[in-house]
């Protein structure tokens, strides 16, 4: 879980992308937000603070000294006032962080060489990432993501689409990557562009099998040119949509049909699992008899 990586992680936010969606919805519901481009990107005045408090009332507890200190710290590390206000509304806990901890976190993310612009986009979209300090386990985990994503920029794309990858073990991620590559035969660039790795393997498999049985998804031949067009739905169409959107827009069936399939498929998998356990038990019995 992400809390194993983060120091004093935000207690009321279990998943980063869900919180970002909440803040995004709050901003869309207001006529004017702190995301508006400021006339002076270095200036922080009371009107900006008032607007931030309106977007996130938790900020009313922050003292003027805390506003000045955190703003100055992040400005010194390249963030402008608009980005600072996005971080403040998304993660009020940033004001409780000691200055050096914020500095260390900025340097930690800078070390992955996403480029300044991409790093700032990541931190403003998921401000809780500023809660991390130097952490060898997290550094190793990001190194693992790079081992199959290929480049730092691709790791950045993965985190932008699937921030909860930081919560998952390498084993869980590898199981999904293996299924996507070897069973669905999806190329890495398509995986990176989707939210697939943020979904449980069981959900990915269920949707894939449903499409296969409908005749909508057919595995690509092993030696086919990856650039050759396919009639299969793209991975993001399979994994990034709600059940209702997936069934009506991708599968062209009703949600009730998919719900019925999920129940039947779960029972089918359980029968297979029970049969495998019985086979293992029989093999053990035969082994004992030989002795």
């Amino acid at each position: 879980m992400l809390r194993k990586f983060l120091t004093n992680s935000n207690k009321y936010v279990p998943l980063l992308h869900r919180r970002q969606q909440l803040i995004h919805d709050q901003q869309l519901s207001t006529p004017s937000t702190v995301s508006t481009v400021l006339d002076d990107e270095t200036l922080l005045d009371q009107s900006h603070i008032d607007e931030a408090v309106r977007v996130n009332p938790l900020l009313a507890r922050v003292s003027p000294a805390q506003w000045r200190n955190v703003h100055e710290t992040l400005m010194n590390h390249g963030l402008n006032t608009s980005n600072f206000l996005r971080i403040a509304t998304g993660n009020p806990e940033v004001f409780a962080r000691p200055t050096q901890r914020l500095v260390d976190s900025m340097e930690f993310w800078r070390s992955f060489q996403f480029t300044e612009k991409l790093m700032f986009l990541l931190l403003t979209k998921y401000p809780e990432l500023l809660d991390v300090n130097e952490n060898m386990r997290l550094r190793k985990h990001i190194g693992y993501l790079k081992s199959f994503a290929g480049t730092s920029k691709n790791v950045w794309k993965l985190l932008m689409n699937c921030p909860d990858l930081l919560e998952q073990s390498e084993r869980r991620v590898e199981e999904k990557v293996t299924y996507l590559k070897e069973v669905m035969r999806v190329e890495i660039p398509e995986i990176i562009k989707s939210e697939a790795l943020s979904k449980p393997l069981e959900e990915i498999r269920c949707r894939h099998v449903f499409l296969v049985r409908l005749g909508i998804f057919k595995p690509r031949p092993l030696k086919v040119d990856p650039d050759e067009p396919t009639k299969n739905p793209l991975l993001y169409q399979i994994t990034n949509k709600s059940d209702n959107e997936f069934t009506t827009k991708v599968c062209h069936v009703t949600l009730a049909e998919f719900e019925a399939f999920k129940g039947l498929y779960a029972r089918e998998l359980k029968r297979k699992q029970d049969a495998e356990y019985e086979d293992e038990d029989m093999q053990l019995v035969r082994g004992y008899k030989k002795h």
Side-chain angles (χ1 to χ4, degrees):
M1 296 298 291
L2 183 60
R3 60 176 175 270
K4 294 180 180 178
F5 297 129
L6 304 185
T7 302
N8 297 324
S9 61
N10 195 312
K11 63 184 178 181
Y12 53 86
V13 186
L15 293 176
L16 297 176
H17 59 291
R18 290 182 181 173
R19 174 166 182 172
Q20 180 62 23
Q21 185 61 49
L22 174 62
I23 297 300
H24 177 67
D25 292 344
Q26 289 176 330
Q27 292 176 340
L28 288 178
S29 66
T30 59
S32 173
T33 74
V34 295
S35 62
T36 303
V37 176
L38 303 175
D39 293 333
D40 184 343
E41 290 294 332
T42 65
L43 177 68
L44 178 69
D45 63 28
Q46 189 59 46
S47 66
H48 302 142
I49 295 174
D50 292 343
E51 180 67 14
V53 171
R54 187 176 68 82
V55 173
N56 192 334
L58 290 175
L59 293 172
R61 306 171 185 173
V62 179
S63 71
Q66 288 174 305
W67 278 104
R68 289 193 301 271
N69 181 55
V70 176
H71 177 248
E72 180 180 352
T73 299
L74 295 183
M75 288 282 290
N76 288 340
H77 284 268
L79 286 161
N80 61 35
T81 299
S82 289
N83 288 336
F84 161 71
L85 290 169
R86 291 187 183 98
I87 288 171
T89 54
N91 183 16
E93 293 293 319
V94 72
F95 291 99
R97 303 286 178 256
T99 300
Q100 189 57 50
R101 184 170 293 173
L102 282 177
V103 171
D104 290 344
S105 183
M106 289 291 295
E107 292 304 318
F108 176 77
W109 287 107
R110 185 171 277 115
S111 71
F112 295 112
Q113 300 179 336
F114 296 147
T115 77
E116 293 283 284
K117 180 181 178 181
L118 297 183
M119 182 185 77
F120 295 158
L121 285 172
L122 181 66
L123 295 179
T124 53
K125 188 175 183 181
Y126 304 114
E128 288 79 7
L129 293 179
L130 275 175
D131 293 345
V132 305
N133 289 319
E134 176 64 34
N135 187 306
M136 291 305 296
R137 185 176 180 184
L138 181 55
R139 185 175 294 280
K140 179 175 178 292
H141 195 63
I142 292 179
Y144 164 71
L145 296 179
K146 189 175 180 179
S147 70
F148 70 82
T151 65
S152 294
K153 187 173 183 179
N154 282 345
V155 172
W156 173 81
K157 289 178 182 177
L158 277 173
L159 295 179
M160 288 290 283
N161 289 324
C162 310
D164 57 330
L165 275 172
L166 300 179
E167 301 175 352
Q168 301 179 34
S169 67
E170 290 184 12
R171 180 184 61 80
R172 286 177 58 195
V173 176
E174 187 169 358
E175 286 175 345
K176 287 183 277 192
V177 171
T178 299
Y179 185 86
L180 292 166
K181 288 178 61 180
E182 297 184 5
V183 180
M184 295 181 68
R185 296 178 193 165
V186 174
E187 299 294 326
I188 289 293
E190 194 174 344
I191 296 173
I192 291 170
K193 293 176 184 177
S194 75
E195 298 174 5
L197 296 183
S198 69
K199 309 298 182 182
L201 176 58
E202 294 75 16
E203 180 180 331
I204 297 171
R205 183 189 291 118
C206 182
R207 290 190 176 196
H208 171 233
V209 172
F210 188 57
L211 287 167
V212 169
R213 294 185 183 181
L214 287 173
I216 297 174
F217 192 102
K218 297 180 181 179
R220 293 165 65 86
L222 288 174
K223 296 183 179 181
V224 72
D225 183 345
D227 294 326
E228 184 177 321
T230 174
K231 294 182 180 180
N232 288 337
L234 295 175
L235 185 58
Y236 82 90
Q237 295 174 307
I238 300 172
T239 61
N240 294 24
K241 297 183 180 298
S242 66
D243 278 357
N244 186 56
E245 291 177 315
F246 170 69
T247 53
T248 58
K249 295 182 180 180
V250 181
C251 304
H252 306 294
V253 298
T254 66
L255 178 59
E257 289 175 284
F258 182 52
E259 293 293 342
F261 170 79
K262 286 197 290 186
L264 292 170
Y265 187 57
R267 289 196 288 273
E268 177 184 325
L269 291 178
K270 188 175 187 308
R271 286 195 299 271
K272 288 181 179 178
Q273 187 179 56
D274 291 344
E276 289 173 359
Y277 287 151
E278 288 178 6
D279 288 343
E280 290 176 1
D281 290 343
M282 289 300 296
Q283 289 174 6
L284 286 174
V285 169
R286 293 191 188 102
Y288 285 129
K289 285 182 177 179
K290 288 180 180 179
H291 290 293

